[in-house]
């Protein structure tokens, strides 16, 4: 509870004594590149393979001749949009981005760079953390959208190229009983996960004490706590919004 | 002038500072000395506001920093320049960007003006050709110089240095000490240096405060420190053989 209180206080300090707007603009652009653009490669790989594996495993389990093959496309779409693209992508990002944020801030803390900002009269939490949270909120939904498309494309490649399903059937399945709200739900999830991952990792890094060993521990805790928070939020959002 | 009154601080029931009083004089190099773990750096962090003292007050030219509202605190902090023990340069920025950083954040100067000012400060500390290098590409001594340039770029009224010589060879240490002394005289700053380096004490210690187990037990200058009769200070000073020999020669 003490840590949760400290986390809430940290979040409230992000908006007190903020710096000039243009300072944040540059920082947000820099952070968006680090958090977003630099994560595209891993998202592309993970999501394509997730889609491919989902298609192959669904086909493997569809043994009844009564179930049409286009259902493979429908299952890939729904699993991807509702769960795999937002949740698995964000769990992967919790590992990559979360450890990067916590490690970076932890190193700045133990090498007195955070103190240097404070001595200059700069709100170090706001200057360092707020751009990371905003950048994550801006880039995670885009990464999740990319992941969604690529998962379905991965399913298409695995299904069509191996002859499990025809191109026509797969595309029909993808479009069959499509609900636009699922996309909205996925984007809402990505926004919530972006906030949780970036803020929890920042909290872990910002309050690092000690030396290099503790920076490593902060990074590990950032990833662990972010993943737990993402999974809890995933369940709550599903209960509330579906 | 900086004045500290009855500063006490404890961490987890361990008393680190107890009832420390003193003044740091403008235009002079004020030293806080003492053995490792005696509370020197904690005292410095209390003065600059990085650690909140449990008791006591700190005033900067009559402005009470401990009781100040956030606006006054902010304005006092913007008059402070600090050189950290490990230099605390921003790894992702070049030397030039590090020195320009306070100007970027705290002023509305044009980029050319900021560049001129940063280059002027880098020249002052003897680093004209390192602008585009990153902190990881320069030596420890050069990092300290960049730290000093960053500390003076805003024309700071107060300059704080936490163990400026740590990790440096004796020759570079002397250069850094002299640079701090020269800058103090040139900019008329109130400079406070935390050190346990006796060379620094004897070279630049115009006003010295000795801290022992969290208490101030001696105050004076480099002229009278060798003649002290305080046992704890004698133990601290004369641990160095060269200084023992110097004292013996002086007594003869």
């Amino acid at each position: 509870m003490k840590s949760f209180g400290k986390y809430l206080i940290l979040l409230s300090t992000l908006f007190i004594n903020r710096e000039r707007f243009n300072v944040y603009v540059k920082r947000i652009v820099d952070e968006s590149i680090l958090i977003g653009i630099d994560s595209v490669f891993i998202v592309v790989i993970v999501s394509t393979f997730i889609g491919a594996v989902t298609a192959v495993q669904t086909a493997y389990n569809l043994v009844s001749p009564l179930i049409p093959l286009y259902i493979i496309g429908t299952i890939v779409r729904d699993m991807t949009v509702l769960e795999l693209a937002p949740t698995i992508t964000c769990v992967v990002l919790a590992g990559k981005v979360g450890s990067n944020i916590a490690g970076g801030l932890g190193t700045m803390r133990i090498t007195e760079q955070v103190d240097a900002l404070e001595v200059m009269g700069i709100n170090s939490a706001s200057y360092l953390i707020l751009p990371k949270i905003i950048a994550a909120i801006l880039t995670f939904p885009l990464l999740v959208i990319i992941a969604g498309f690529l998962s379905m494309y991965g399913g298409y490649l695995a299904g069509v190229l191996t002859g499990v399903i025809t191109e026509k059937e797969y595309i029909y399945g993808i479009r069959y009983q499509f609900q636009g709200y699922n996309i909205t739900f996925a984007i809402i999830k990505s926004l919530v996960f972006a906030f949780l991952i970036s803020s929890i990792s920042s909290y872990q890094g910002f309050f690092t004490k000690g030396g290099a060993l503790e920076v490593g521990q902060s990074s590990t805790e950032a990833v662990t706590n972010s993943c737990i928070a993402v999974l809890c939020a995933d369940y709550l959002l599903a209960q509330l919004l579906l | 002038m900086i004045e500290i009154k009855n500063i006490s601080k404890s961490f987890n029931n361990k008393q680190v500072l107890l009832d420390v009083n003193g003044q740091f004089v403008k235009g002079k190099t004020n030293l806080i000395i003492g053995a490792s773990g005696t509370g020197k750096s904690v005292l410095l962090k209390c003065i600059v506001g990085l650690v909140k003292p449990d008791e006591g007050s700190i005033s900067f030219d009559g402005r009470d920093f401990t009781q100040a509202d956030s606006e006054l605190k902010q304005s006092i902090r913007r008059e402070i320049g600090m050189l950290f023990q490990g230099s605390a340069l921003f790894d992702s920025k070049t030397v030039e960007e590090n020195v320009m950083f306070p100007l970027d954040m705290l002023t509305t100067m044009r980029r050319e003006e900021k560049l001129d000012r940063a280059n002027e400060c880098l020249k002052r500390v003897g680093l004209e050709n390192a602008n585009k290098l990153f902190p990881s590409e320069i030596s420890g001594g050069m990092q300290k110089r960049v730290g000093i340039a960053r500390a003076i770029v805003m024309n700071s009224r107060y300059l704080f240095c936490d163990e400026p010589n740590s990790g440096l060879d004796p020759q570079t240490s002397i250069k850094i000490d002299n640079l701090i002394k020269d800058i103090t005289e040139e900019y008329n700053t109130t400079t406070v240096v935390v050190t346990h380096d006796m060379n620094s004490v004897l070279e630049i210690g115009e006003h010295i405060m000795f801290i022992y187990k969290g208490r101030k037990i001696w105050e004076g200058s480099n002229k009278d420190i060798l003649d002290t009769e305080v046992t704890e200070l004698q133990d601290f000073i004369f641990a160095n053989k060269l200084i023992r020999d110097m004292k013996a020669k002086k007594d003869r």
Side-chain angles (χ1 to χ4, degrees):
Chain A
M1 280 311 285
K2 196 181 165 188
S3 296
F4 185 64
K6 208 170 159 187
Y7 169 71
L8 293 181
I9 291 169
L10 175 70
L11 291 182
S12 69
T13 59
L14 300 183
F15 302 98
I16 302 166
N17 293 331
R18 278 171 294 138
E19 304 307 321
R20 290 197 310 273
F21 179 71
N22 59 350
V23 169
Y24 288 102
V25 172
K26 191 179 177 307
R27 293 264 305 123
I28 290 167
V29 171
D30 290 345
E31 292 294 343
S32 296
I33 292 167
L34 274 174
I35 292 173
I37 312 274
D38 290 358
S39 303
V40 168
F41 179 71
I42 184 82
V43 168
V44 167
I45 297 289
V46 169
S47 54
T48 308
F49 276 90
I50 280 177
V53 172
T54 307
V56 171
Q57 289 191 353
T58 307
Y60 172 73
N61 284 296
L62 282 183
V63 286
S64 170
L66 296 174
I67 302 171
L69 280 176
Y70 67 76
I71 286 297
I72 295 171
T74 310
I75 289 173
V76 169
R77 179 200 72 202
D78 282 347
M79 280 189 71
T80 294
V81 173
L82 283 173
E83 192 61 21
L84 298 178
T87 310
I88 301 299
T89 303
C90 286
V91 167
V92 170
L93 290 174
K96 186 193 173 291
V97 176
S99 61
N100 184 286
I101 289 176
L105 287 175
T107 305
M108 287 189 79
R109 169 66 75 186
I110 64 159
T111 55
E112 297 179 311
Q113 293 175 49
V114 175
D115 289 346
L117 288 169
E118 289 288 337
V119 169
M120 286 176 207
I122 294 163
N123 179 347
S124 59
S126 181
Y127 175 76
L128 294 171
I129 298 173
L130 191 58
K132 290 184 195 298
I133 294 176
I134 294 173
I137 287 173
L138 290 174
T139 55
F140 272 37
L142 299 175
L143 291 170
V144 166
I145 290 168
I146 292 170
F149 272 112
L150 288 172
S151 289
M152 284 187 258
Y153 187 64
Y156 168 85
L157 289 176
V160 175
L161 295 180
T162 57
V164 172
I165 185 173
T166 64
E167 181 182 344
K168 199 177 167 187
E169 281 172 321
Y170 187 81
I171 290 172
Y172 179 77
I174 289 279
R175 301 174 71 175
Y176 179 68
Q177 288 190 343
F178 172 72
Q179 286 184 309
Y181 176 73
N182 288 354
I183 304 283
T184 311
F185 179 61
I187 290 172
I188 291 171
K189 277 169 68 160
S190 67
L191 290 169
V192 173
F193 297 163
F195 174 76
L196 289 172
I197 292 167
S198 55
S199 61
I200 291 171
S201 304
S202 297
Y203 167 79
Q204 295 290 351
F206 195 73
F207 290 111
T208 302
K209 277 182 186 166
L213 185 67
E214 283 77 11
V215 173
Q217 284 170 353
S218 291
S219 294
T220 309
E221 279 172 28
V223 176
T224 311
N225 294 344
S226 297
C227 286
I228 293 169
V230 163
L231 296 173
C232 292
D234 188 29
Y235 174 75
L236 283 174
L237 288 171
Q239 280 283 356
L240 289 170
L241 299 175
L242 286 182
Chain B
M1 187 178 71
I2 301 168
E3 193 170 11
I4 55 172
K5 282 183 190 162
N6 310 106
I7 297 293
S8 294
K9 179 71 192 173
S10 61
F11 293 106
N12 302 323
N13 296 326
K14 193 192 170 207
Q15 198 74 41
V16 179
L17 293 172
L18 189 63
D19 221 13
V20 181
N21 291 284
Q23 291 181 343
F24 300 107
V25 191
K26 191 176 181 180
K28 283 194 176 178
T29 316
N30 302 273
L31 265 57
I32 302 173
I33 63 167
S36 299
T38 50
K40 307 183 298 291
S41 291
V42 174
L43 178 60
L44 190 77
K45 284 181 178 175
C46 285
I47 298 170
V48 298
L50 288 173
V51 170
K52 199 174 175 215
D54 298 335
E55 280 172 50
S57 68
I58 297 148
S59 64
F60 288 77
D61 291 311
R63 296 169 296 171
D64 190 342
F65 190 55
T66 35
Q67 299 297 321
D69 56 21
S70 62
E71 207 172 309
L72 179 60
K73 249 183 193 159
Q74 202 83 339
S75 76
I76 293 174
R77 277 183 161 168
R78 288 177 184 196
E79 295 172 1
I80 290 175
M82 184 157 175
L83 171 63
F84 287 85
Q85 193 171 351
S87 300
L89 301 178
F90 303 117
D91 303 322
S92 57
K93 295 182 188 295
T94 62
V95 163
E96 186 177 85
E97 287 165 347
N98 263 287
V99 178
M100 266 171 60
F101 183 77
L103 301 173
D104 284 336
M105 295 299 293
L106 308 170
T107 71
T108 51
M109 289 162 77
R110 285 185 297 114
R111 186 171 161 75
E112 294 75 31
E113 290 173 324
K114 287 188 276 191
L115 268 174
D116 286 349
R117 176 69 186 141
N119 283 318
E120 189 188 317
C121 292
L122 282 169
K123 197 175 169 190
R124 179 64 194 84
V125 299
L127 275 179
E128 289 95 340
N129 302 315
N131 295 37
K132 301 295 173 201
L133 297 175
F134 283 91
S136 58
E137 296 171 325
I138 58 177
S139 68
M142 286 166 86
Q143 287 182 12
K144 299 276 181 183
R145 285 167 185 270
V146 178
I148 294 172
R150 188 175 68 182
I152 61 171
V153 77
M154 291 283 290
N155 280 320
S156 313
R157 291 172 70 179
Y158 314 102
L159 178 63
F160 295 91
C161 306
D162 188 8
E163 306 209 7
N165 298 334
S166 70
L168 300 182
D169 63 84
Q171 208 175 3
T172 312
S173 295
I174 290 167
K175 282 182 188 166
I176 296 290
D177 283 343
N178 289 332
L179 184 60
I180 291 169
K181 191 170 188 286
D182 291 347
I183 281 170
T184 302
E185 285 165 7
E186 199 177 314
Y187 293 82
N188 198 26
T189 56
T190 308
T191 300
V192 181
V193 180
V194 163
T195 187
H196 47 61
D197 181 0
M198 275 313 294
N199 285 332
S200 305
V201 173
L202 297 174
E203 281 285 329
I204 61 167
E206 293 172 287
H207 173 235
I208 303 166
M209 187 186 276
F210 177 63
I211 305 285
Y212 181 76
K213 290 188 178 172
R215 292 168 188 263
K216 184 192 83 177
I217 61 166
W218 185 86
E219 203 168 354
S221 75
N222 54 359
K223 291 189 179 69
D224 47 19
I225 196 166
L226 293 180
D227 301 321
T228 181
E229 289 181 359
V230 177
T231 321
E232 292 85 354
L233 182 55
Q234 284 178 338
D235 292 345
F236 174 75
I237 302 168
F238 300 121
N240 186 324
K241 188 182 179 300
L242 287 173
I243 299 187
R244 275 201 306 273
D245 294 347
M246 187 197 287
K247 168 76 172 152
K249 201 174 166 186
K250 192 183 167 195
D251 289 345
R252 278 202 298 271

